[in-house]
Amino acid sequence: MALEKIATGKVRDIYLLDGEHLLFVTSDRISAFDVVMDEPIPDKGRVLTAITAFWLDRLRDVAPNHLVGLDVPAAVADQEELKGRVMVVRRADMLRVECIVRGYLSGSAWAEYQKTGTMHGQPLPAGLRQSERLPEPVFTPSTKAAVGMHDENITFEAAAALVGGNLAEEARRISLAAYEAGAAWAAARGIIIADTKFELGIIDGELAICDEVLTPDSSRFWPADGWEPGATPPSFDKQPLRDWLEGTGWGKTPPPPPLPDEVVTATRTRYVEAYQRLTGLSFAEWPGAGGRAYGGSAEDTSV
């Protein structure tokens, strides 16, 4: 690609289009335990792009967003290879905190609660169980760590000290509203969104939703019929990969072990199913959707 690459993440590559626009390219790379695997997950990048586009369309009334279009710019080579995995976005002044919303007690929040009875430093009712639904969704920010480091859970007051009180309040409002809208939509389709992470940035003086939104990479998606307090439900994400890696005895440092075909296939299936259950549409049409936010028909659920 002839464009200047300005950032490379575990999954996304970001290129400079012009002074006001960037090109996000979502790859099929997958990481586990902070290590990128050698084998890609076919179509994973297209799934993440398709889900993000779907949510940005649905959340337009909650907050503005950075998406300009989904077509591959004409000047960029590899048109077919990139179709369905790019977003042309407006540049934003990104907040220096991760905007996390938790509706259920899981992950690092559960680990903290077991030790101190708190979540991000705030007291929770006694006697809660792992994966239990919280009395109400909670905005639980974290720091943005440098590459190779881990984010740190912080209190709302600490986030306000980093970005300013007014911005922190607006970030909390947008994040909670977006989570509640997304969680209600997903619940009607048999999916629990246990928690999620939003990236927010300022565009034209307004706080906007940026980057990926409510995807299996940025959220915990649980099947509603597999959830009960006291246990960790199966999830629509890289769980087959994590489970397989845990069983190999791998030390969770590079290089990772080669992934067998069945693990790659099972992981892809989880991601595709999440898209199809959330949208009621076929993922099969997405790569050739011609820049539409999503495509297909509710009757066609082929993988």
Side-chain angles (χ1 to χ4, degrees):
M1 186 182 295
L3 299 177
E4 176 188 355
K5 183 186 289 187
I6 61 173
T8 297
K10 292 175 184 174
V11 175
R12 280 171 190 77
D13 299 319
I14 303 177
Y15 297 85
L16 182 64
L17 279 179
D18 57 45
E20 295 186 359
H21 299 93
L22 303 173
L23 182 69
F24 280 24
V25 178
T26 308
S27 75
D28 291 336
R29 298 189 295 268
I30 192 166
S31 67
F33 309 111
D34 292 325
V35 176
V36 177
M37 303 293 108
D38 291 333
E39 295 81 11
I41 304 300
D43 291 320
K44 176 175 176 280
R46 291 185 169 93
V47 170
L48 297 181
T49 303
I51 291 177
T52 293
F54 172 80
W55 286 121
L56 289 177
D57 185 55
R58 292 204 60 82
L59 298 175
R60 286 177 298 175
D61 293 338
V62 172
N65 63 71
H66 68 163
L67 182 61
V68 174
L70 299 165
D71 289 326
V72 183
V76 175
D78 306 321
Q79 291 279 320
E80 287 303 314
E81 178 184 341
L82 295 179
K83 186 178 293 184
R85 62 175 72 249
V86 305
M87 295 194 303
V88 176
V89 304
R90 298 185 64 189
R91 301 190 73 165
D93 183 10
M94 301 301 293
L95 293 190
R96 293 187 294 148
V97 295
E98 304 279 11
C99 296
I100 300 166
V101 178
R102 301 181 189 274
Y104 293 74
L105 189 58
S106 188
S108 63
W110 167 243
E112 178 186 336
Y113 178 77
Q114 288 180 286
K115 294 178 182 177
T116 63
T118 62
M119 182 173 69
H120 287 239
Q122 303 301 311
L124 287 178
L128 296 179
R129 293 165 290 176
Q130 184 180 21
S131 305
E132 188 152 352
R133 185 173 183 174
L134 297 170
E136 60 183 9
V138 182
F139 178 70
T140 56
S142 74
T143 61
K144 284 187 176 181
V147 175
M149 306 294 287
H150 294 286
D151 297 339
E152 177 186 350
N153 292 344
I154 57 176
T155 63
F156 176 79
E157 290 73 22
L162 283 173
V163 303
N166 290 339
L167 271 180
E169 290 283 0
E170 181 67 355
R172 177 163 61 182
R173 182 195 69 78
I174 289 173
S175 298
L176 286 171
Y179 171 81
E180 289 169 354
W185 177 271
R189 288 147 184 85
I191 292 179
I192 290 172
I193 302 180
D195 53 51
T196 195
K197 176 184 71 175
F198 295 105
E199 296 273 6
L200 303 181
I202 300 172
I203 301 174
D204 292 337
E206 287 188 275
L207 205 52
I209 299 174
C210 303
D211 208 354
E212 67 179 309
V213 180
L214 292 167
T215 73
D217 269 17
S218 65
S219 319
R220 288 181 220 272
F221 286 176
W222 295 337
D225 58 6
W227 168 78
E228 61 179 350
T232 301
S235 53
F236 290 100
D237 58 13
K238 59 185 80 172
Q239 198 60 48
L241 170 62
R242 292 194 194 97
D243 291 345
W244 183 82
L245 289 169
E246 289 277 19
T248 65
W250 173 54
K252 301 179 182 178
T253 57
L259 302 183
D261 290 344
E262 59 267 24
V263 172
V264 172
T265 299
T267 304
R268 178 190 183 274
T269 298
R270 290 276 186 111
Y271 277 82
V272 171
E273 184 181 354
Y275 170 79
Q276 296 186 158
R277 288 184 65 168
L278 284 171
T279 66
L281 304 169
S282 170
F283 175 71
E285 190 179 344
W286 168 253
R292 288 177 289 168
Y294 41 86
S297 67
E299 291 74 26
D300 177 8
T301 58
S302 60
V303 174

